């Protein structure tokens, strides 16, 4: 999508881990509603299998699916990509797309969004979410309105580029909710001012 250098390595996160006798599962409070992992059911394990080694007195915890999240961010921080077992999320910083306090897209911004449309087409996605977010400066009501306008602007370019009546869009403005960085610094606020486009991965 862009020639900007990317970080040398991706960050891979385990969202759920099962260990002997206990289960640790964390729901990320920063994930907007409707974006929770939805991996398929785990493989059944026979607790009486003689090859299964457990400490004395231990029992198997309830099976959990490990949802692997790979995060790659451009060195500039302008663009962030998250891949899980089931979905792709692409986040563009607001400064890359819009002027200050604006929801008008320029030519370069539209080109980036058309690149996202190409990926959606490649994944054969039929459901696309477009969520807008702001930092916590200014009033919460203003942030809600601005983030929705920005999400609508990105949606308009995506839908025109894809031109596919079979795709369902969910477009929302969350304002200052669900920050991904600390709003106490300008660097953090810059990351929080973003539009995220997410869609399911195609079946392998």
């Amino acid at each position: 999508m862009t020639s900007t250098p990317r970080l040398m390595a991706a960050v891979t996160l385990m969202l759920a881990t099962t260990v002997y006798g206990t289960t640790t599962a964390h729901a990320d409070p920063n994930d907007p509603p409707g974006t929770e992992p939805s991996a398929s059911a785990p493989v059944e394990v026979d607790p009486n299998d003689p090859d299964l080694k457990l400490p004395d007195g231990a029992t198997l915890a309830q099976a959990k699916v490990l949802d692997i999240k790979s995060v790659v961010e451009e060195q500039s921080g302008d663009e962030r990509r998250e891949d899980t077992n089931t979905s792709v999320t692409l986040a563009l910083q607001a400064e890359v797309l819009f002027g200050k306090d604006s929801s008008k897209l320029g030519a370069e911004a539209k080109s980036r969004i058309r690149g996202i449309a190409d990926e959606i087409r490649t994944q054969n996605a039929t459901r696309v979410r477009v969520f807008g977010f702001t930092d916590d400066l200014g009033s919460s009501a203003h942030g809600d309105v601005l983030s929705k306008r920005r999400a609508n602007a990105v949606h308009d370019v995506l839908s025109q580029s894809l031109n596919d009546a079979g795709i369902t869009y969910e477009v929302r403005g969350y304002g200052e909710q669900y920050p991904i960085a600390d709003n106490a610094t300008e660097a953090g606020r810059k990351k929080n001012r973003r539009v995220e486009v997410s869609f399911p991965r195609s079946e392998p």
Side-chain angles (χ1 to χ4, degrees), residues 90-149:
L90 298 167
L92 294 174
Q93 286 188 359
E95 281 83 349
V96 176
L97 301 174
F98 309 101
K100 185 176 181 180
D101 207 31
S102 170
S103 57
K104 184 177 180 181
L105 292 163
E108 182 179 348
K110 290 179 180 179
S111 176
R112 280 181 177 254
I113 296 167
R114 283 192 287 268
I116 295 176
D118 290 341
E119 173 107 14
I120 293 170
R121 190 179 293 111
T122 298
Q123 296 290 347
N124 296 314
T126 58
R127 189 177 76 257
V128 178
R129 294 186 173 109
V130 186
F131 294 162
F133 305 87
T134 63
D135 58 30
D136 65 352
L137 298 181
S139 73
S140 176
H142 178 71
D144 291 346
V145 172
L146 180 61
S147 62
K148 180 62 182 298
R149 287 178 178 168

Side-chain angles (χ1 to χ4, degrees), residues 17-92:
T17 306
T18 302
V19 296
Y20 296 136
T22 61
T23 301
T24 304
H26 301 286
D28 189 341
N30 291 325
D31 285 346
T35 60
E36 299 83 2
S38 57
S40 58
V43 176
E44 186 174 345
V45 177
D46 180 3
N48 300 314
D49 189 316
D51 293 324
L52 185 63
K53 307 298 182 186
L54 292 174
D56 289 341
T59 59
L60 284 178
Q62 182 180 359
K64 291 285 183 179
V65 175
L66 294 180
D67 197 19
I68 310 300
K69 180 185 287 187
S70 171
V71 180
V72 179
E73 189 174 69
E74 289 185 357
Q75 286 182 332
S76 64
D78 290 350
E79 188 172 327
R80 174 185 174 94
R81 179 188 177 111
E82 295 183 4
D83 287 273
T84 72
N85 299 343
T86 57
S87 67
V88 177
T89 300
L90 298 167
L92 294 174

